[in-house]
Amino acid sequence: MTSTFLSSENYLVSAESVTEGHPDKLCDQISDAILDAILSEDPAARVACETAVTTGLVVVMGEITTSATVDYQKIIRDTVHSVGYTHSDYGFDSETCGVLVSLKEQSPDISMGVSEALEVRQKADEDDLDRLGAGDQGIMVGFACNETPELMPMPIVLAHKLSSRLASVRKDGTLSYLRPDGKSQVAIEYHKGVPKRVDSIVIATQHDAEVTRETIEQDVREHVVDVIVPRELQDEGTTYFVNPTGRFVIGGPMGDAGLTGRKILVDTYGGGFAHGGGAFSGKDSTKVDRSGAYAGRYVAKNIVAAGLADRLEIQIAYVIGVAHPVSIAVETYGTGKVSDSEIQRLIATHFDLRPQAIIQTLGLRRPIFQQTAAYGHFGRSDLDLPWERTDKVDDLRADAKL
């Protein structure tokens, strides 16, 4: 794990975000709304829920094993309504869209390895935290850096705030002609690893047909960009693109089909930073795609918050049906205040990265996931998310003798 950026004097890093009305994000929210509804009745449920949307249609499919009784139709329509697709003029209507649900139980071959991990099957005096095996193989990545108060990369922080602001001014009536679909993108210029200025800002927002692009650009600059992006980061060289195609009336599922799990960099750290490849939404926490990535963020944030490094990337690899990770690697990009080997020792001492331990430590059997399905899973100062807590800082500093 090496950086192609930090060795450069000046470089650009971009990140994008999308609003909750983007078709892919609509799918993520439906999948996580179903997950939350199930967990509220059955915390031990196994859920792998995928959603697809297109013009006038929502399709929900996957594998769910649960004792909960769930009204899937109501959850789906309520989620679509809450996002803002409430009228046929928008090309999608929560009351009239078709809904198709096709679900079956989790494969018994997968369930066998998850319910009783390899460690348990190989010994009689098992640790209870060994009992739950990883729900899949895969590589999970956690990251944190000290360039923002959220300990997140600046490009993704600004992109999320811009997209969230787009939704806010639509919902509160400030810009009532906006529609639910939208995107943002921010490019930050770095100098020797430190963000210095905003190089470009992109806003694409769905809108009513009669509004001119000039009006949209003026309003978005005033009520969105200038509210979110600090003036000291903007200069005469900053470029602004607002609806650069000139028109964005047809949007949402009418303009583009959507699928769960297609915005994995939006969900995590943005462009320029590593990702293991697994999506989050619609998955219960036996799936390490989700819980392992949350644990990685928890580890990285606590290490950076403790002052052990200015930035840290952790890579955790799992095997299906096995509790213990098969590898853990860290990269501090030369910013560590102690050696990388010492940070690995601290991680092994203070963090248990077995799936059952992660679930217990972070309380991941609760219905807390729908709120993460838009505007990012990490760095959310507006939410109380357990993987964002820095409750290990004092122990880490004491052990490292800082």
Side-chain angles (χ1 to χ4, degrees):
M1 296 187 292
T2 59
S3 170
T4 58
F5 298 126
L6 295 185
S7 59
S8 303
E9 187 83 3
N10 292 289
Y11 55 90
L12 298 175
V13 177
S14 297
E16 72 161 345
S17 177
V18 298
T19 65
E20 65 245 48
H22 185 281
D24 293 333
K25 272 289 145 208
L26 178 61
C27 292
D28 287 343
Q29 290 166 94
I30 291 170
S31 291
D32 271 341
I34 290 171
L35 171 64
D36 278 359
I38 292 170
L39 291 178
S40 66
E41 291 187 31
D42 180 11
R46 300 279 173 80
V47 180
C49 181
E50 309 291 343
T51 303
V53 297
T54 187
T55 303
L57 180 63
V58 179
V59 180
V60 171
M61 54 200 149
E63 297 77 43
I64 296 178
T65 303
T66 182
S67 61
T69 301
V70 175
D71 187 342
Y72 293 105
Q73 288 269 344
K74 185 177 188 305
I75 292 169
I76 292 164
R77 294 188 189 279
D78 286 351
T79 304
V80 174
H81 187 276
S82 69
V83 167
Y85 289 113
T86 58
H87 197 284
S88 59
D89 286 351
Y90 297 167
F92 204 73
D93 184 353
S94 62
E95 293 187 4
T96 61
C97 65
V99 174
L100 176 62
V101 178
S102 179
L103 297 167
K104 60 182 183 294
E105 290 193 341
Q106 184 180 59
S107 160
D109 293 349
I110 296 174
S111 178
M112 176 177 61
V114 177
S115 300
E116 190 171 82
L118 180 67
E119 290 90 337
V120 172
R121 286 175 272 138
Q122 288 184 338
K123 62 184 181 181
D125 56 341
E126 73 273 3
D127 181 338
D128 188 57
L129 293 178
D130 276 345
R131 182 163 296 280
L132 189 69
D136 203 350
Q137 71 177 48
I139 302 161
M140 288 74 218
V141 173
F143 183 82
C145 59
N146 62 5
E147 62 190 52
T148 62
E150 297 87 353
L151 301 185
M152 287 283 286
M154 185 178 287
I156 194 68
V157 168
L158 290 179
H160 281 321
K161 289 181 177 180
L162 287 168
S163 291
S164 180
R165 178 68 180 172
L166 266 181
S168 295
V169 296
R170 169 176 62 88
K171 293 175 179 179
D172 68 17
T174 301
L175 301 180
S176 58
Y177 59 79
L178 297 185
R179 294 182 179 180
D181 198 357
K183 288 185 173 184
S184 67
Q185 186 169 293
V186 179
I188 300 291
E189 182 179 332
Y190 286 72
H191 179 70
K192 294 183 177 179
V194 178
K196 291 299 184 184
R197 56 180 292 274
V198 174
D199 188 71
S200 65
I201 298 172
V202 183
I203 300 288
T205 180
Q206 189 185 13
H207 57 87
D208 291 347
E210 66 273 9
V211 184
T212 66
R213 198 198 70 82
E214 290 73 23
T215 296
I216 296 169
E217 179 171 17
Q218 179 179 334
D219 286 347
V220 166
R221 287 284 300 272
E222 177 182 353
H223 296 287
V224 178
V225 174
D226 288 343
V227 171
I228 295 300
V229 182
R231 288 302 310 174
E232 62 269 20
L233 292 177
Q234 304 177 59
D235 57 30
E236 65 279 0
T238 302
T239 306
Y240 306 87
F241 302 92
V242 178
N243 282 12
T245 65
R247 181 179 170 87
F248 188 2
V249 174
I250 300 172
M254 186 177 183
D256 194 5
L259 292 169
T260 302
R262 282 208 300 197
K263 287 291 177 283
I264 58 176
L265 289 177
V266 171
D267 284 342
T268 54
Y269 307 105
F273 302 91
H275 193 291
F280 301 157
S281 290
K283 299 177 181 178
D284 76 88
S285 294
T286 64
K287 282 74 171 174
V288 286
D289 281 344
R290 183 165 219 157
S291 55
Y294 288 172
R297 167 63 177 171
Y298 180 57
V299 170
K301 187 173 184 182
N302 274 273
I303 294 290
V304 171
L308 296 168
D310 293 340
R311 59 175 54 206
L312 181 125
E313 178 183 305
I314 179 171
Q315 181 191 91
I316 312 165
Y318 291 93
V319 174
I320 188 169
V322 179
H324 289 79
V326 293
S327 71
I328 298 172
V330 299
E331 172 63 71
T332 60
Y333 303 99
T335 69
K337 308 305 185 270
V338 298
S339 67
D340 286 3
S341 60
E342 172 66 0
I343 289 176
Q344 286 190 303
R345 183 194 70 79
L346 291 167
I347 291 170
T349 301
H350 296 278
F351 299 93
D352 191 335
L353 297 176
R354 290 174 291 177
Q356 183 64 39
I358 295 169
I359 289 169
Q360 289 185 8
T361 299
L362 300 181
L364 299 182
R365 300 268 192 204
R366 299 172 292 147
I368 60 173
F369 300 109
Q370 185 182 0
Q371 61 186 340
T372 68
Y375 312 118
H377 293 245
F378 306 133
R380 295 292 298 274
S381 56
D382 58 321
L383 302 176
D384 180 19
L385 300 175
W387 51 89
E388 290 297 313
R389 296 171 187 166
T390 52
D391 50 359
K392 296 282 191 179
V393 165
D394 291 342
D395 290 343
L396 289 167
R397 289 183 61 83
D399 194 351
K401 298 179 174 56
L402 291 183

